[in-house]
Amino acid sequence: MNTSTLDPKREIGALADDVRSVAHTAANYVGEKVDSARQGLNSAVESGKDLAAIVRDKAVEGAKATGDAVRDNPFYSAGIAFGLGALAGALVTGLINRR
């Protein structure tokens, strides 16, 4: 390689062109990855919304079924509530007396 025939301005210009080309290629690659990640995230958000709607619908159905059961069997429901309250009270009393 003969260094006396090299033109520094031309070499710097070529190097600058190469750097711009690499930067452009890298920006395109990163842009594609960002777009891909954005699409994946949007898909996950939509799936989450669908799942939330399903869970909400199931919760509403369960609440309605519970309300129907309480209306159909009020004494049975009151007995269960009383039993659970007595159990909770016994547990709390036991914890307090333990200290």
Side-chain angles (χ1 to χ4, degrees):
M1 174 185 232
N2 186 359
T3 57
S4 62
T5 61
L6 293 177
D7 182 12
K9 288 183 180 180
R10 182 179 304 154
E11 293 299 317
I12 289 173
L15 179 61
D17 290 341
D18 289 345
V19 168
R20 277 191 285 275
S21 175
V22 168
H24 181 72
T25 301
N28 285 341
Y29 178 76
V30 169
E32 290 171 2
K33 292 297 179 183
V34 167
D35 287 343
S36 175
R38 183 177 295 128
Q39 289 173 352
L41 183 59
N42 286 339
S43 176
V45 167
E46 288 303 317
S47 295
K49 286 180 181 178
D50 293 343
L51 181 60
I54 291 169
V55 168
R56 184 189 64 237
D57 292 344
K58 293 289 183 182
V60 168
E61 287 176 19
K64 286 180 182 178
T66 301
D68 290 343
V70 169
R71 271 193 288 310
D72 292 344
N73 302 302
F75 294 112
Y76 183 72
S77 300
I80 290 175
F82 177 78
L84 290 175
L87 178 63
L91 288 174
V92 169
T93 302
L95 289 175
I96 290 174
N97 289 336
R98 240 173 124 186
R99 290 182 184 197

